[in-house]
Amino acid sequence: MEYLIIIIILFALELFYFKIAARHNIIDKPNHRSSHTKVTLRGGGIIFPIAFLLYFAVSILYRKDTFIPKEYWAFGLGLLILSMISFLDDILDLSTKLRLFFHFISVSLLIYFLGILFLLPIWLLPIVFIFIIGVLNAYNFMDGINGITGLYSFVILSTLYYINQYKIIFTDVNFIIYPVLASLVFLFFNFRKKAKCFAGDVGSMSIAFWVLALLGLLVMKTQELTYLLFIGVYGIEVIFTIIQRIKLKENIFEAHRHHLYQLLVNKMKWSHLLVSTMYGVIQLLINFSIIYWQLSFMEGILYLIFPTLIMYVLAKFYIFKTTETY
């Protein structure tokens, strides 16, 4: 009953946000680099930080005996700071330096939440910072077609829920279920041929922050880096697209249409929903294989990530040959 009530509340709050967004013209206008052609409401991903506020409120007021470590305030504050600056960027187009400043604060709070601030050698902390900020921005880069952010996140969160329930408990189960519910509600409005809303930076950044927190908790609990491969598909896409753009001498911080999902939609004319589903299914197969065969990090790289990379390169090469994209 609790989860049904939460879903209803999330639906109601999302619809309420739509009215605010429409009134204040918070929209996404298509341009020559967009993969959509219709003016669409932006910022529907605000439902993810709202889901955390509901989780926290219910945990404190209703489930008073629920295990909520004191460090959860750090996650919540980091998420809200990141969501706030991302939402403002959706509206005002803030400077990169200002965004990075707040990203640094949020990531610092996330590292504190995970309890690794004093466990890692000092020289390793900058690498962790760069990795987390890189993943946050990768999630943002990949949020370019209908359904991809919601479905990909749902796949990762569902995998983490399975591990927490049937393999090893690494967090409060509701800390996973609430973003799952938010993903389902968001998908109801976004996983459509004509999406009702887009996630916006507030959505892609906040759900990425939550996913990273959960992955971090799992890695800390098991001391296994293998679980980072649960975001392997996005990793392949973003890293090798950046390499490609550097090779083409392009500004990697400017908008572009070189991602494989963009090429499939814009050049090959595949539907948004088909491409989004394909990304989700491939990541699901990787996650299932890691769990079922209990692969180590290097085994996962060798047997799963490397073959996926080969398919990715071949797909881009085929599109290049058939459409003369570049």
Side-chain angles (χ1 to χ4, degrees):
M1 179 60 71
E2 172 192 338
Y3 301 140
L4 177 60
I5 294 174
I6 294 300
I7 286 179
I8 293 172
I9 293 174
L10 289 173
F11 263 109
L13 291 175
E14 187 78 307
L15 291 171
F16 179 68
Y17 169 75
F18 290 166
K19 292 184 177 181
I20 296 175
R23 179 178 300 176
H24 294 280
N25 206 34
I26 305 175
I27 57 176
D28 193 303
K29 295 181 179 179
N31 55 47
H32 68 287
R33 296 188 183 276
S34 301
S35 297
H36 61 282
T37 58
K38 302 291 184 180
V39 174
T40 308
L41 296 177
R42 178 187 288 187
I46 198 170
I47 197 169
F48 296 116
I50 289 174
F52 174 76
L53 292 176
L54 290 174
Y55 162 75
F56 193 77
V58 171
S59 298
I60 297 296
L61 301 176
Y62 178 66
R63 286 191 305 271
K64 296 182 179 180
D65 57 342
T66 298
F67 171 70
I68 302 182
K70 60 182 181 180
E71 290 82 6
Y72 271 53
W73 70 265
F75 168 82
L77 182 59
L79 176 66
L80 295 178
I81 290 174
L82 183 65
S83 301
M84 177 192 68
I85 198 67
S86 299
F87 186 69
L88 289 175
D89 190 44
D90 281 329
I91 301 173
L92 304 175
D93 193 19
L94 303 176
S95 70
T96 301
K97 290 182 179 179
L98 182 62
R99 284 187 284 112
L100 286 176
F101 172 74
F102 284 98
H103 290 179
F104 178 82
I105 295 174
S106 294
V107 172
S108 298
L109 288 165
L110 177 59
I111 289 176
Y112 175 78
F113 164 72
L114 294 174
I116 62 177
L117 184 60
F118 303 107
L119 295 179
L120 297 177
I122 295 178
W123 64 267
L124 196 56
L125 284 177
I127 297 176
V128 175
F129 268 92
I130 292 171
F131 172 77
I132 294 175
I133 291 177
V135 173
L136 291 174
N137 284 280
Y139 237 88
N140 195 26
F141 295 156
M142 292 298 294
D143 182 35
I145 59 175
N146 298 353
I148 193 167
T149 294
L151 190 59
Y152 192 79
S153 300
F154 178 77
V155 165
I156 299 172
L157 292 167
S158 298
T159 304
L160 293 170
Y161 172 81
Y162 174 82
I163 292 175
N164 195 71
Q165 289 297 99
Y166 301 105
K167 297 296 182 178
I168 182 171
I169 297 175
F170 63 92
T171 188
D172 170 29
V173 67
N174 289 291
F175 192 57
I176 307 175
I177 291 177
Y178 273 64
V180 168
L181 299 180
S183 297
L184 290 174
V185 173
F186 175 71
L187 282 169
F188 177 82
F189 295 106
N190 182 254
F191 194 77
R192 305 181 181 193
K193 185 176 181 181
K194 296 181 179 179
K196 177 70 174 176
C197 70
F198 294 148
D201 287 1
V202 63
S204 58
M205 297 294 262
S206 58
I207 190 58
F209 193 81
W210 208 328
V211 166
L212 278 169
L214 289 167
L215 286 174
L217 289 173
L218 179 56
V219 169
M220 291 297 294
K221 180 72 173 183
T222 61
Q223 297 298 299
E224 290 286 347
L225 292 177
T226 312
Y227 299 110
L228 296 180
L229 301 182
F230 285 177
I231 52 175
V233 172
Y234 269 19
I236 290 171
E237 175 81 84
V238 172
I239 291 171
F240 282 89
T241 299
I242 289 175
I243 292 174
Q244 177 191 7
R245 298 194 70 200
I246 291 174
K247 184 179 179 182
L248 294 171
K249 298 181 179 179
E250 295 180 355
N251 185 343
I252 63 173
F253 297 105
E254 291 182 353
H256 63 92
R257 299 180 76 171
H258 293 323
H259 284 301
L260 178 59
Y261 75 84
Q262 293 171 317
L263 298 177
L264 291 172
V265 167
N266 300 318
K267 297 296 181 180
M268 304 303 290
K269 304 304 178 183
W270 289 20
S271 76
H272 287 222
L273 305 188
L274 174 61
V275 176
S276 296
T277 300
M278 180 183 73
Y279 273 73
V281 168
I282 293 174
Q283 188 63 69
L284 180 63
L285 291 174
I286 290 174
N287 296 356
F288 173 81
S289 299
I290 289 171
I291 296 171
Y292 184 79
W293 281 296
Q294 299 181 0
L295 301 179
S296 67
F297 181 72
M298 292 308 301
E299 289 172 337
I301 293 288
L302 180 62
Y303 300 136
L304 301 174
I305 300 302
F306 185 70
T308 305
L309 170 62
I310 296 299
M311 290 189 294
Y312 170 83
V313 172
L314 290 176
K316 271 201 167 180
F317 180 77
Y318 174 78
I319 296 173
F320 169 73
K321 283 296 184 182
T322 56
T323 65
E324 298 183 356
T325 301
Y326 310 133

